[in-house]
Amino acid sequence: MNVMPPSGPTAQVRDRLLDLIKSGDLGSDGKLPTERALSERFGVGRRFVRQALDALEAEGLVWRKQGKGTFAGQPLDPMGDLAAKITGETNALEVMEARLCIEPELAALCAQRMQPDEVARLRMLAQRQWEAEDAQAIELWDGSLHRLIAQCARNRPLLTAFSLLDKIRSNPDWVAIRAKGRDMASLQVTHNEHLALIDAIAAGHAHAARTAMRDHLETRFNALRGELETAAAEQGETFFAATSKT
Amino acid sequence: MNVMPPSGPTAQVRDRLLDLIKSGDLGSDGKLPTERALSERFGVGRRFVRQALDALEAEGLVWRKQGKGTFAGQPLDPMGDLAAKITGETNALEVMEARLCIEPELAALCAQRMQPDEVARLRMLAQRQWEAEDAQAIELWDGSLHRLIAQCARNRPLLTAFSLLDKIRSNPDWVAIRAKGRDMASLQVTHNEHLALIDAIAAGHAHAARTAMRDHLETRFNALRGELETAAAEQGETFFAATSKT
DNA sequence: ATTCTGTACCAATACAGGATTGGTTTGCCT
DNA sequence: AGGCAAACCAATCCTGTATTGGTACAGAAT
């Protein structure tokens, strides 16, 4: 999908859409107003809205599906019923452990297989996350960044394994726990770690990318552990600590 | 679910249900008539029908879901659907790459979480594989060994990711390619590698187990690469080389 | 004649309300 | 007290309509 950079009214619509995306007024699923609503709101034809959305979709900032709508970020991979089945049989620590196994390798492969425009897309997603104004937007852009890295690794089974974890983690109660573990200081750390990761990927250094992702996940793991211990102290063990049975 | 063997009317209902299941009159999804319909049809109370179905469910001959119905057989495995979908979108090299990511970590976790009787089971499986007399038996015992390691790692998401790879690899054409890459010398190497791996696990050395598994998989990867190059030279690229698209 | 724009149409998906189905409880009869 | 039918509840399905992105068509403007 090679889309010309927008000019004229389309460029203005694109910028206003970007403002809307940044504004934090979207729902937790990042759903944007419909094309028809946006065309009324901006006082332009629907075709201009579509062209602006074409551009944003090419930049990886929105995704669209006929009959469903237009959403900020990157979509979760369809998992069928599998993730729902597993969610009740695992816990946050196991998922984190699995992430530490899989995502550094995805980052390394991404560094090896990255295509030229994809680095810019990663940087833009990291910037969206840094500029995010509420917990929902942080979650949406952080998730989108990790998803794009996984896609750019170009290994379908590993992408699927990642997506399984992604889906499990999308459970609202799990999302809430993560949100509690974030403050300005941790967001700064995350942003720095994201940038270091993207720099390693951009330079094509697989080993550095692997290490950067591992460091980043370990930081998040420690924050999660802190939250889980706080939650456990407050109310005894909850579903986060479901025993894994094999 | 411990269900007493049925007696009296329940036993008769059970037998009639079994006849119905065997009759081939069910739809393609194996859906049985509703409990209410069966109770009318057999001229008994619904409770008898439920008891008979309880028994058949305990025997694995039917499955039930509230709001959906009662079905002959066992529910479809969500992983089967997903693996079938992924199989057409990946290739043997990607799967091998994914194994190199996931299985060393499973071996390390297994070394940390292994329970006392499990080492003996691993050794027995390795011995079975060494003694196997044909390609099918080799595949069976080798697979069982790797599966047990994955289970003993006690991480549900990683086990699921492993199982997905296992499922993809169970495709018969893929099995055949692997069989062609084996001879007495390679089986000896494999056996030695299995033993080294199990020794590391038994000793609880996570790092050594990780390295042993990685070494073993790299050996298999090289053999697979050899077979794929041979196959490619013989008939041009086949489905093993499906391009991964992201 | 070509390009632009609004409108119409199509394909994919969602949604709401009612129906259906398994799971459980209640109340009546023996 | 035990057994059974009826009632109730929770989960899922079904249907018709609405919605949404994707595309085509027709008319207006240049």
Side-chain angles (χ1 to χ4, degrees), chain B residues 36 44-48 65-68:
Chain B
R36 292 171 178 102
V44 297
R46 190 174 148 202
R47 215 180 278 259
F48 287 117
K65 192 163 177 68
Q66 181 174 338
K68 189 179 174 72

Side-chain angles (χ1 to χ4, degrees), chain B residues 92-155:
Chain B
L93 294 176
E94 284 191 8
V95 170
M96 200 72 235
E97 194 170 72
R99 288 184 77 197
L100 271 167
C101 171
I102 289 169
E103 288 197 50
E105 198 56 38
L106 284 170
L109 292 173
C110 176
Q112 288 170 349
R113 297 173 180 166
M114 170 68 61
Q115 288 177 6
D117 58 311
E118 287 169 343
V119 174
R121 290 170 62 194
L122 289 178
R123 291 198 196 278
M124 185 200 66
L125 293 175
Q127 189 64 17
R128 287 285 177 282
Q129 199 240 359
W130 174 236
E131 294 171 355
E133 296 186 346
D134 64 16
Q136 280 186 353
I138 292 169
E139 192 76 17
L140 176 101
W141 294 115
D142 185 71
S144 296
L145 176 62
H146 285 256
R147 260 166 244 131
L148 183 58
I149 290 171
Q151 284 164 14
C152 298
R154 299 183 160 88
N155 179 301

Side-chain angles (χ1 to χ4, degrees), chain A residues 43-240:
Chain A
V44 297
R46 191 174 148 204
R47 217 182 275 262
F48 287 117
V49 171
R50 289 190 56 73
Q51 281 171 356
L53 288 172
D54 287 342
L56 290 176
E57 194 177 20
E59 295 170 63
L61 294 178
V62 305
W63 60 282
R64 296 189 274 178
K65 192 162 178 69
Q66 181 174 338
K68 190 180 175 72
T70 300
F71 300 82
Q74 287 279 300
L76 268 68
D77 218 23
M79 277 282 113
D81 295 330
L82 186 57
K85 182 168 180 262
I86 305 301
T87 298
E89 301 173 6
T90 189
N91 60 52
L93 293 177
E94 284 192 8
V95 170
M96 200 70 234
E97 195 170 70
R99 289 186 78 198
L100 272 166
C101 171
I102 290 167
E103 289 197 52
E105 200 54 39
L106 285 171
L109 292 173
C110 178
Q112 289 171 347
R113 298 175 179 164
M114 171 67 58
Q115 288 177 4
D117 57 311
E118 285 168 346
V119 173
R121 291 171 62 192
L122 290 179
R123 292 198 196 277
M124 191 161 301
L125 291 175
Q127 187 66 15
R128 294 275 76 69
Q129 200 238 359
W130 174 237
E131 293 174 2
E133 296 182 350
D134 63 13
Q136 285 183 352
I138 293 169
E139 191 72 21
L140 182 145
W141 295 114
D142 184 72
S144 296
L145 175 62
H146 285 258
R147 273 164 225 141
L148 186 56
I149 290 171
Q151 287 165 18
C152 297
R154 299 182 160 87
N155 178 301
R156 192 71 177 90
L158 280 179
L159 174 61
T160 305
F162 166 85
S163 300
L164 176 68
L165 301 177
D166 206 22
K167 183 75 181 186
I168 293 168
R169 291 173 71 244
S170 68
N171 175 295
D173 294 333
W174 294 43
V175 171
I177 281 276
R178 289 202 290 282
K180 285 177 68 178
R182 290 188 184 116
D183 55 26
M184 268 314 303
S186 74
L187 288 171
Q188 177 72 69
V189 169
T190 289
H191 185 56
N192 292 342
E193 286 170 345
H194 280 167
L195 293 182
L197 169 61
I198 295 169
D199 286 344
I201 287 168
H205 293 164
H207 185 66
R210 186 185 287 117
T211 301
M213 178 64 94
R214 186 173 293 131
D215 290 345
H216 171 51
L217 291 178
E218 274 168 3
T219 305
R220 303 316 310 149
F221 200 173
N222 289 333
L224 178 66
R225 220 176 332 228
E227 284 305 316
L228 292 176
E229 281 160 10
T230 304
E234 282 174 5
Q235 47 187 340
E237 292 211 338
T238 69
F239 75 96
F240 301 124

Side-chain angles (χ1 to χ4, degrees), chain A residues 16-34 37-38 41-42 53 56 61-63 69-74 128 132-141 144:
Chain A
R16 290 180 71 177
L17 282 170
L18 214 43
D19 289 341
L20 178 58
I21 290 168
K22 289 179 184 174
S23 72
D25 288 342
L26 308 178
S28 65
D29 59 359
K31 185 169 167 62
L32 267 65
T34 67
L38 290 171
R41 184 162 162 177
F42 296 157
L53 288 172
L56 290 176
L61 294 178
V62 305
W63 60 282
T70 300
F71 300 82
Q74 287 279 300
R128 294 275 76 69
E133 296 182 350
D134 63 13
Q136 285 183 352
I138 293 169
E139 191 72 21
L140 182 145
W141 295 114
S144 296

